[in-house]
Amino acid sequence: MCSELRMKMLVWFVFVLGALSAAGEVFVAKVGGKVTLNCGVSSYTNSLRWYHGNDFLHSVPQRGLTLNGTVELVRRSVVRQTDLEISSVKETDAGRFTCSADLTRHEHSLSLFSVSVSVVPSADLLLGSEATLQCDVKGFIEGCEVKWKSPNVDSPEWSPTAQLKPVTSSHDGTWQCIITCGSNQLSEDLTITVQEPPPTTSTTTASLCSSKDSPKTIFAIVCSVLLSYFLL
């Protein structure tokens, strides 16, 4: 009888522990950016607390004053309703976050990316030239996808390395390097300017000489000589 009672108590105790720890989410953020971690509850009765690892961050009671921890992350974070908002994200912010609402704990994790975008030879391109766009991601998580999105809505998505051969007017504008991890999505912008190549000397001379305002005398003779020279 006693052993049966102890077994029932043990089963009940394990059940309660399971109820107190709810499944969390995996959040992703860009170093230097902003991220909001959802607690997992929309309201609470007594108090709500946020932790980063073992470091205490914030305690928000329903009544009374908010208590804050002493670690550096406290100065860059704030609790909005039940969620934790972190600004100027640093690499040291990665890891486990715990939101404790009354008697329920929600454990989440934050993974960070460092994203850099570049274009060779430069962001100022000439029509008809060639260029390479590169999106480098540090801290990449398996299962995530990196793609370039062109400013042209009808253009297909590109891989992390986009080859523009040749550069066209549709490449002008703001490109986005998009990192997708499940339902989370981050992006980094890169603006490209496409310009017409400068006119050659022969083209300029031909345009000038064909102008309606050009004199029909000595100037016309000079133009004829110049055109003959450049067309040789």
Side-chain angles (χ1 to χ4, degrees):
M1 180 68 179
C2 291
S3 60
E4 183 180 353
L5 180 61
R6 282 197 296 270
M7 181 62 68
K8 288 183 179 180
M9 292 178 61
L10 179 59
V11 172
W12 172 249
F13 182 66
V14 173
F15 172 76
V16 171
L17 283 181
L20 292 179
S21 183
E25 297 183 49
V26 177
F27 296 93
V28 294
K30 184 172 60 177
V31 174
K34 179 185 293 185
V35 64
T36 298
L37 309 184
N38 301 321
C39 174
V41 298
S42 57
S43 62
Y44 55 96
T45 304
N46 297 314
S47 65
L48 180 136
R49 293 188 177 191
W50 274 98
Y51 297 86
H52 178 215
N54 295 323
D55 295 330
F56 166 67
L57 299 178
H58 307 280
S59 176
V60 184
Q62 282 287 14
R63 296 181 180 179
L65 299 176
T66 297
L67 300 177
N68 298 314
T70 58
V71 296
E72 188 271 341
L73 178 56
V74 170
R75 298 195 296 271
R76 293 183 289 107
S77 61
V78 61
V79 176
R80 300 193 184 280
Q81 295 182 338
T82 61
D83 301 335
L84 182 68
E85 183 180 287
I86 303 174
S87 301
S88 303
V89 173
K90 296 183 177 181
E91 294 183 359
T92 53
D93 297 339
R96 176 172 55 88
F97 283 81
T98 303
C99 175
S100 178
D102 296 328
L103 297 177
T104 303
R105 292 187 307 116
H106 297 259
E107 292 191 353
H108 309 292
S109 63
L110 176 62
S111 298
L112 300 180
F113 293 106
S114 178
V115 185
S116 62
V117 292
S118 60
V119 56
V120 177
S122 73
D124 296 320
L125 303 175
L126 294 179
L127 196 65
S129 63
E130 296 182 359
T132 301
L133 278 65
Q134 185 67 42
C135 182
D136 294 317
V137 181
K138 295 181 180 180
F140 189 78
I141 300 176
E142 185 178 356
C144 296
E145 188 177 38
V146 181
K147 287 185 177 181
W148 277 107
K149 185 177 180 181
S150 164
N152 182 3
V153 293
D154 297 326
S155 175
E157 294 180 325
W158 305 64
S159 66
T161 301
Q163 301 283 347
L164 308 184
K165 295 182 178 182
V167 173
T168 66
S169 57
S170 64
H171 296 147
D172 185 271
T174 300
W175 289 67
Q176 283 188 313
C177 174
I178 300 176
I179 304 100
T180 304
C181 301
S183 60
N184 296 287
Q185 194 173 82
L186 304 173
S187 65
E188 187 77 9
D189 293 346
L190 176 66
T191 300
I192 289 178
T193 302
V194 178
Q195 300 175 343
E196 291 278 353
T200 61
T201 307
S202 59
T203 303
T204 304
T205 305
S207 175
L208 177 64
C209 292
S210 62
S211 172
K212 294 181 180 179
D213 298 329
S214 300
K216 303 299 182 180
T217 54
I218 299 176
F219 185 74
I221 298 175
V222 173
C223 282
S224 178
V225 173
L226 288 175
L227 283 174
S228 299
Y229 174 79
F230 286 112
L231 291 176
L232 289 179

